[in-house]
Structure formats: C-alpha cells, structure tokens
Amino acid sequence: MKKVTLHDKHFEPFIGAAELAAAIDVVAEKVAAKYADNVPLFLGVLNGSYFFASELMKRLPITCEISFVKVASYHGTVSSGTVSQLIGLQERIAGRHVVVVEDIVDTGNTIEHIVEALREKSPASIAIASLLLKPDVYKKDIPVDFVAMEIPNIFVVGSGLDHDGLGRNLPGIYRIVNN
Ligand code: IMP
Ligand code: MG
C-alpha cells in the first residue's frame, strides 16, 4: 500500500486489509452468537456500508435478511434545520430484530436519525453494527453494539468510506495526511 491522492487531499495507509478482516471476524462471531435464533433483518446504510455489510454477511452462519436504505438530508422549510429521511425501506419492521449496518459512526447524528425513524415502526429490537467508531467524538446515548475497530478522530477512507465520492474501493483503511 502506498499514498494516494483523492481530489485535493492525500491519504496514507493506516489499517491493513488483513488486520481489518481479522477485526470483522471477531465482530461477526459476536453478531452470530446474539442473533442465532431470531432471523434478524440487517439494514445497510448506503453508500458506505456496502463493504462491511458484505463482509459481515459472508461470515454469518445464521438465517438472516439483508436490505439497504439511504438517508437523505435536506433543509426543511421549517426552522428546525436539517431534516433526515429514510429512503428505500420496504421491509416490515414491526416485531423484527433489526441491525443497522454502518461504515462509521462519528458524531452519531446519522444513526440517531435512523434509530428514531425505525423506532416508530415498532421493531422487537434495534442494534447498531459499524465497521469503525470514533469514540472521542461519539457522545450519544444510543449504544453502538458491534464495532470492528475504534479509531482516533481523524478522517479516513477505504473499505466503503469516501472523500467526496472517491476512495471507497481502497483495501483497508487510509488516513488523511495533513500538510
Ligand atoms: P455521523 O452522522 O457524524 O456519525 O457521521 C456518519 C457519516 O459521516 C458516515 O456514515 C460517513 O458517511 C461520514 N463520515 C464520518 N467520518 C468519516 C470519515 O472519517 N471518513 C469518511 N466519511 C466519514
Ligand atoms: Mg455513510
């Protein structure tokens, strides 16, 4: 792995693909153990979660369902600021054990919106599984139940994560070089 340039920014290797895969092995075992008997519904948040969702699914020897949603953010006409909407959700949520699959939890604003929207649909339970978590930034009360790796408060790309659309295909995780 070597340095890459995406748009105007430079990135250097941070977490290797093998190390990341080993971390996903561990978290997948925890997910499998928890949901062995209740046919969970995994809901990947596009676009970033495609990599982790796929890597997680192929490690789960349990009966489960996977679907994907998008979060659209727009500024509403009311003064309350940004409004978020879940797009593409067609599955029945009531009574299901739902696991939201994310690429990264940073401030947690995104998962907070998703969890609020899902709660209205009366699931049996909601959990969050994220490839990465920035614990120094995340201050919400919602538990992030399954995390492959915790990282410091730096901007990263690779394995689904992008900088303005680029870098999702990079193997492993790259960190921004500040210079
Ligand atoms: P949050 O709402 O602040 O938790 O941020 C969640 C979203 O911001 C993620 O799903 C990513 O799309 C994006 N994001 C946060 N941190 C990073 C990063 O370090 N690299 C790339 N995208 C990020
Ligand atoms: Mg994202």
Side-chain angles (χ1 to χ4, degrees):
M1 298 205 293
K2 55 180 175 45
K3 279 191 189 176
V4 295
T5 300
L6 304 171
H7 299 299
D8 52 331
K9 296 195 163 43
H10 307 292
F11 296 84
E12 63 185 9
F14 179 43
I15 301 167
E19 189 184 342
L20 195 60
I24 299 172
D25 287 344
V26 175
V27 81
E29 269 194 38
K30 292 177 184 160
V31 173
K34 174 125 189 234
Y35 293 95
D37 301 319
N38 52 20
V39 194
L41 168 63
F42 292 91
L43 273 187
V45 184
L46 290 173
N47 293 322
S49 76
Y50 78 87
F51 168 84
F52 181 46
S54 164
E55 292 298 307
L56 185 60
M57 288 304 115
K58 71 187 188 191
R59 289 168 171 81
L60 294 181
I62 62 174
T63 305
C64 62
E65 199 177 335
I66 172 100
S67 189
F68 290 89
V69 293
K70 274 206 168 200
V71 178
S73 300
Y74 56 92
H75 294 282
T77 50
V78 288
S79 58
S80 57
T82 308
V83 180
S84 291
Q85 203 187 347
L86 264 191
I87 295 179
L89 183 63
Q90 276 162 2
E91 286 67 25
R92 187 181 56 83
I93 298 298
R96 299 291 306 269
H97 293 276
V98 179
V99 184
V100 178
V101 181
E102 262 285 19
D103 52 356
I104 189 165
V105 176
D106 185 17
T107 64
N109 288 333
T110 307
I111 56 162
E112 187 172 57
H113 289 305
I114 293 169
V115 166
E116 278 171 10
L118 290 173
R119 272 192 191 138
E120 289 174 10
K121 300 178 186 298
S122 309
S125 68
I126 305 178
I128 313 287
S130 186
L131 179 65
L132 302 177
L133 172 71
K134 295 179 183 174
D136 296 340
V137 185
Y138 185 70
K139 301 294 174 218
K140 306 276 186 197
D141 293 331
I142 300 166
V144 185
D145 308 79
F146 306 100
V147 175
M149 293 191 89
E150 295 188 347
I151 64 167
N153 183 19
I154 50 174
F155 189 78
V156 296
V157 296
S159 298
L161 292 133
D162 73 302
H163 165 46
D164 200 8
L166 301 183
R168 296 192 197 277
N169 58 313
L170 292 170
I173 301 293
Y174 284 64
R175 60 180 285 168
I176 197 162
V177 183
N178 296 306
N179 56 11

